[in-house]
């Protein structure tokens, strides 16, 4: 059941995290009834971490990669957004709240308890295609919502678009930065994505370790708290590790094979 109610989607699109009162109560109830908006929830750190692992144990990698690829031709960003959360879970540590100072966990930066705006998180899923902070509350919500989606096998156009993305990455010269690559991907004709959506997609490939550097690896084998991770420059707004990627790093073949090696349709783009 992947159909989305158009009216509820428009209500969610207009939802403003900083001005939730702008959404009429009747509209909120409508969108909530359609499963797109949610009451805010007071979420405890340890419960959120536990939920991440419980849901993750039921997740299947292909369900995430299939929908990630299937998002490309139709721009269903909710299809795309699950992979970022699933990729972070590859190395996310089983842990209890561990305070550094103040109120935040020293491992994942989530407080002991927080009121979470789940509608804002769902807005991210549907309109950005990836997550924001990588907090356990965010990851568990993304995984749970993704698990509600039926599997969709990518079509020919999805594979062609991803193939074009891979070719652009592999052809990039030494001087190509991640921002340059972002601009190049904008010119893939059948890929209808905004600059911001391309940024989030590249960041997801970073968490997957498909785009990484020898000293700044993705999260496949080692956990990095993306909200505290180093940045290339002080003003950079790119997430770790793609921030550090340049053309000479290309596609990391081993990590690519882990995520996408089972798609025979992609073999021609990687060999
Ligand atoms: Zn933590």
């Amino acid at each position: 059941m992947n159909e989305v109610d158009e009216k509820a989607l428009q209500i969610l699109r207009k939802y403003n995290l900083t001005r939730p009162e702008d959404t009429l109560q009747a509209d909120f109830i409508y969108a909530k009834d359609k499963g797109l908006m949610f009451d805010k929830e007071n979420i405890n750190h340890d419960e959120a971490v536990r939920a991440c692992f419980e849901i993750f144990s039921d997740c299947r990698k292909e369900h995430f990669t299939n929908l990630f690829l299937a998002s490309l031709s139709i721009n269903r960003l909710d299809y795309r957004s699950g992979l970022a959360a699933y990729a972070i879970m590859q190395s996310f540590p089983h842990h209890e709240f561990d305070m550094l100072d103040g109120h935040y966990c020293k491992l994942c930066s989530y407080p002991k308890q927080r009121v979470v705006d789940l509608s804002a998180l769902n807005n991210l899923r549907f309109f950005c295609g990836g997550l924001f902070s990588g907090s356990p509350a965010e990851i568990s919500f993304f995984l749970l919502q993704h698990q509600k989606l039926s599997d969709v096998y990518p079509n020919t156009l999805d594979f062609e678009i991803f193939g074009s993305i891979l070719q652009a990455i592999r052809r990039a010269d030494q001087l190509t930065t991640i921002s340059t690559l972002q601009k190049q991907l904008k010119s893939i004709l059948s890929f209808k994505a905004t600059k911001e959506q391309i940024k989030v997609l590249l960041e997801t490939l970073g968490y997957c370790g498909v785009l990484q550097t020898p000293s700044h690896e993705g999260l496949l084998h080692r956990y990095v708290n993306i909200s505290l991770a180093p940045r290339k420059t002080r003003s950079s707004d790119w997430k770790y590790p793609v921030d550090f990627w340049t053309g000479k790093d290309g596609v990391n073949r081993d990590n690519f094979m882990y995520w996408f090696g089972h798609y025979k349709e992609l073999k021609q783009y990687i060999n």
Side-chain angles (χ1 to χ4, degrees), residues 118-178:
L118 300 178
S119 302
L121 293 184
N122 214 29
N123 181 292
L124 274 181
R125 287 183 64 242
F126 275 90
F127 302 107
C128 292
L131 38 71
F132 176 67
S133 69
S135 76
E138 204 175 10
I139 291 172
S140 60
F141 177 79
F142 273 57
L143 293 181
L144 187 64
Q145 297 306 313
H146 193 88
Q147 287 296 77
K148 292 179 185 171
L149 292 168
S150 304
D151 203 12
V152 179
Y153 196 77
N155 63 30
T156 309
L157 186 55
D158 294 317
F159 286 118
E160 281 174 13
I161 293 171
F162 198 54
S164 301
I165 292 172
L166 292 170
Q167 281 173 333
I169 296 168
R170 297 183 77 201
R171 284 180 191 151
D173 64 31
Q174 305 240 341
L175 297 174
T176 304
T177 63
I178 196 71

Side-chain angles (χ1 to χ4, degrees), residues 52-63:
C52 287
F53 283 95
E54 271 173 25
I55 307 163
F56 182 59
S57 68
D58 285 334
C59 292
R60 207 170 43 86
K61 182 171 72 179
E62 288 74 17
H63 185 224

Side-chain angles (χ1 to χ4, degrees), residues 237-251:
D237 63 349
W238 285 88
K239 293 282 199 316
Y240 190 88
V242 282
D243 195 14
F244 292 91
W245 180 93
T246 59
K248 68 175 184 307
D249 300 307
V251 172

